[in-house]
Amino acid sequence: MTAIAFEWDQWNLQKNESKHSVSRLEAESAFYDPRYRLFEDRRHSTLVERRYVLYGRSLESRVLMVGFTIRRRRVRVITARPASRRERQIYDQGS
């Protein structure tokens, strides 16, 4: 298993924990789900920075939605929260 380098903005880290009850470790664990689903987030991407959405099952067995970008070869997590019903269906369709 290849290690992934992560980068967090302190504000986003605190927001995810307090607002969505998703810890840093739980959010990062979704990237190691072999069944994860990955999409480009065209709505939030710009010419300068592409953004992505990942749906993956965390170490807490919850399906998470993780919004992120790549900066300097690191995954910079922007948001992480439990997936909505619709997002869980998208995740399940990849099975």
Side-chain angles (χ1 to χ4, degrees):
M1 182 179 297
T2 305
I4 301 170
F6 291 94
E7 180 178 291
W8 285 82
D9 172 82
Q10 190 61 36
W11 166 248
N12 286 339
L13 179 60
Q14 291 173 350
K15 177 186 71 171
N16 291 325
E17 288 182 352
S18 65
K19 186 174 180 183
H20 303 300
S21 298
V22 177
S23 71
R24 176 183 189 156
L25 181 62
E26 184 180 11
E28 291 176 2
S29 73
F31 285 82
Y32 293 96
D33 175 4
R35 294 178 41 218
Y36 73 77
R37 305 273 302 188
L38 180 65
F39 302 94
E40 184 175 352
D41 183 353
R42 293 189 178 137
R43 182 176 179 207
H44 295 104
S45 292
T46 66
L47 293 174
V48 176
E49 181 175 81
R50 285 193 175 169
R51 293 200 177 179
Y52 303 91
V53 171
L54 178 137
Y55 302 120
R57 189 166 301 279
S58 74
L59 57 85
E60 300 290 334
S61 297
R62 300 192 296 173
V63 177
L64 300 181
M65 186 291 296
V66 184
F68 69 97
T69 191
I70 306 292
R71 288 191 189 162
R72 297 180 301 276
R73 296 185 179 190
R74 294 176 182 261
V75 172
R76 183 172 178 88
V77 177
I78 298 163
T79 189
R81 60 171 172 71
S84 68
R85 180 179 300 161
R86 182 177 150 275
E87 292 166 337
R88 287 192 307 273
Q89 289 172 342
I90 292 168
Y91 172 81
D92 289 336
Q93 288 173 359
S95 304

